[in-house]
Amino acid sequence: MLYLVSKGSRLESIASEKMGAWEDHSPAIAMITLQFVSAATALLNRACLITGMSPMVFTVYRQAVAAAVTFPICYFTRGNSRRSKASMGVKGFLLIFIAAFIGVVLCQVFYYKGLYMTSSSIGTASANLTPAITFIFAIALGMEKVNITKLSSIAKISGTIFCVGGAICIALLRGPKILNIQVPASFTIFPVLESSTNDHNWVLGCLFLFACKSCWAIWLIMQVPISRCYPDPLSLSAWMSFIGMLQAAAISVFMEPDPQAWNLSSPLELISIFFSGIVGSGATFFIQAWCITKRGPFYSSIFGPLSTVITTVLACMLLREELYVGSLLGAVAVIIGLYIVLWGKSEESKVKSLPKLDESQTQEHTHSENDVEQPLLSDYPDKNAQVA
């Protein structure tokens, strides 16, 4: 009997250790999986665009799918909390309407145009520009303070310079081709696609991607006043998707007058729309939100560049995309700049979390609560981040 009890205790201890190990590693596994999802979304979207689908039409369909998925979830998970009963109001509606137009419609249209003119790898690499661009806008609006005597501020400034310089290298310095791995056409689900890029389109596509990230940075900053007016993030995401769909559809009437542009001519287009709307938007939000509750926003952010690496390799194999020296160096510079900016923000957060010793420090801490630290670090976890 004692032997059985002892054996049972050992088995419980082993099971507990395994459960603890899984809990320790599950956020990392979730974030790595999410980077593969991001890479698959970029590949599917580019393949869909190259086959001839309009970026505006794609935006309408994707937002329609996202709204159709998020509204039922929002309805059935709506509880009795104060947030779930939040009233939008006129001011809240106007802010959400403007944010949806900038962060959903313009952002996605610019992204799809840039993705079509450049490559999947550059499209995913451009996502790493968002913290730097947000930092610039925040300084211009007085929402972010810079003190050149502090190492954290120097890191944010130098990281921003790295990101912008890397983006310029991507746009202007292509250089020789260094990688073009291809698999036989019989082993890929994608059709053999001809390159849609040339030197002129490449630069214009990079400008579109930069405009996309600028729109997204504005959207992030707008979350500060929006969250005060409407503090229900899940319902807010649903309304953003729905309003963005209506806005994109209204604009499409003028930009896409040909009814044939709305036809789905291949299963690839249908798969891409549903995958982007359901997995690329809905699943991404829940996984990142869960990971942030476990490890924080900085932990979630550091996995972002991994999707660039995954996308680069898969795009060369499946979409016959070409990788150039200038593009590679620029992407590396953008990633380095991202980590420098995030390190600066992390150090700044550590200083703010220290116990305050005197009244002047307390006043400084109170003033710092009005900055955009949360939007700057939350580019990845938001559900409406549908451009990555």
Side-chain angles (χ1 to χ4, degrees):
M1 179 64 70
L2 291 176
Y3 170 76
L4 293 177
V5 172
S6 176
K7 186 176 181 180
S9 299
R10 287 198 300 270
L11 291 175
E12 290 179 359
S13 177
I14 293 173
S16 179
E17 290 177 0
K18 290 183 177 180
M19 183 63 68
W22 167 252
E23 291 180 355
D24 290 339
H25 295 93
S26 56
I29 295 173
M31 290 308 303
I32 292 174
T33 303
L34 201 59
Q35 305 318 307
F36 280 95
V37 170
S38 177
T41 302
L43 293 172
L44 282 170
N45 290 348
R46 177 162 166 78
C48 185
L49 293 169
I50 293 178
T51 55
M53 191 170 190
S54 166
M56 183 61 72
V57 172
F58 191 94
T59 300
V60 175
Y61 282 144
R62 176 171 177 170
Q63 290 307 120
V65 171
V69 172
T70 54
F71 265 114
I73 294 175
C74 179
Y75 177 79
F76 288 109
T77 59
R78 192 176 181 89
N80 294 321
S81 65
R82 182 180 178 182
R83 285 187 174 186
S84 65
K85 294 182 177 180
S87 177
M88 186 179 298
V90 176
K91 181 180 178 181
F93 176 79
L94 290 177
L95 288 173
I96 293 173
F97 186 88
I98 296 172
F101 180 73
I102 295 175
V104 177
V105 180
L106 291 182
C107 187
Q108 287 193 24
V109 172
F110 287 154
Y111 172 74
Y112 292 137
K113 284 185 174 292
L115 184 67
Y116 172 75
M117 293 180 178
T118 55
S119 65
S120 302
S121 55
I122 301 304
T124 53
S126 67
N128 301 309
L129 285 170
T130 303
I133 298 175
T134 308
F135 176 61
I136 294 174
F137 285 164
I139 291 177
L141 296 173
M143 303 174 74
E144 186 82 19
K145 304 302 179 182
V146 176
N147 187 348
I148 59 175
T149 62
K150 293 184 178 180
L151 187 59
S152 59
S153 293
I154 295 175
K156 290 189 293 185
I157 294 173
S158 59
T160 301
I161 294 174
F162 261 95
C163 286
V164 176
I168 294 173
C169 288
I170 291 173
L172 302 180
L173 301 178
R174 297 183 69 178
K177 183 173 62 176
I178 61 175
L179 181 63
N180 189 20
I181 305 172
Q182 295 184 6
V183 297
S186 58
F187 290 93
T188 176
I189 62 173
F190 298 107
V192 178
L193 302 174
E194 297 295 332
S195 175
S196 62
T197 62
N198 52 49
D199 291 337
H200 173 72
N201 284 345
W202 187 274
V203 175
L204 184 59
C206 289
L207 291 177
F208 274 126
L209 291 175
F210 185 82
C212 161
K213 300 313 167 186
S214 298
C215 290
W216 187 246
I218 295 173
W219 185 91
L220 291 173
I221 292 175
M222 290 188 68
Q223 299 313 296
V224 177
I226 289 176
S227 62
R228 299 193 188 109
C229 297
Y230 197 72
D232 185 358
L234 183 58
S235 178
L236 175 63
S237 299
W239 279 111
M240 284 276 188
S241 298
F242 180 72
I243 294 175
M245 178 198 68
L246 296 180
Q247 291 172 337
I251 297 174
S252 298
V253 173
F254 301 97
M255 295 187 63
E256 297 294 343
D258 184 10
Q260 297 296 326
W262 295 85
N263 294 338
L264 300 179
S265 59
S266 67
L268 177 63
E269 295 177 347
L270 188 63
I271 293 172
S272 180
I273 289 170
F274 276 91
F275 187 87
S276 300
I278 298 175
V279 181
S281 299
T284 296
F285 169 75
F286 287 111
I287 292 175
Q288 289 184 336
W290 174 81
C291 184
I292 286 173
T293 60
K294 295 291 185 180
R295 294 291 187 267
F298 180 77
Y299 182 87
S300 176
S301 300
I302 63 177
F303 288 89
L306 180 60
S307 65
T308 304
V309 178
I310 298 171
T311 304
T312 299
V313 176
L314 294 180
C316 291
M317 297 175 60
L318 302 178
L319 297 184
R320 276 67 172 175
E321 289 184 0
E322 299 174 339
L323 183 63
Y324 299 91
V325 172
S327 301
L328 179 62
L329 293 177
V332 171
V334 169
I335 293 172
I336 292 174
L338 167 70
Y339 281 122
I340 295 175
V341 171
L342 292 178
W343 181 85
K345 291 297 297 182
S346 177
E347 291 298 309
E348 196 175 67
S349 299
K350 291 178 182 178
V351 173
K352 292 177 182 178
S353 64
L354 293 175
K356 305 303 178 294
L357 301 178
D358 52 45
E359 184 178 355
S360 62
Q361 290 176 326
T362 303
Q363 293 175 352
E364 181 182 356
H365 172 69
T366 303
H367 178 71
S368 67
E369 290 179 351
N370 294 324
D371 66 8
V372 291
E373 175 180 341
Q374 181 61 28
L376 179 58
L377 293 179
S378 63
D379 172 40
Y380 297 94
D382 197 275
K383 177 182 176 179
N384 287 291
Q386 299 172 4
V387 297

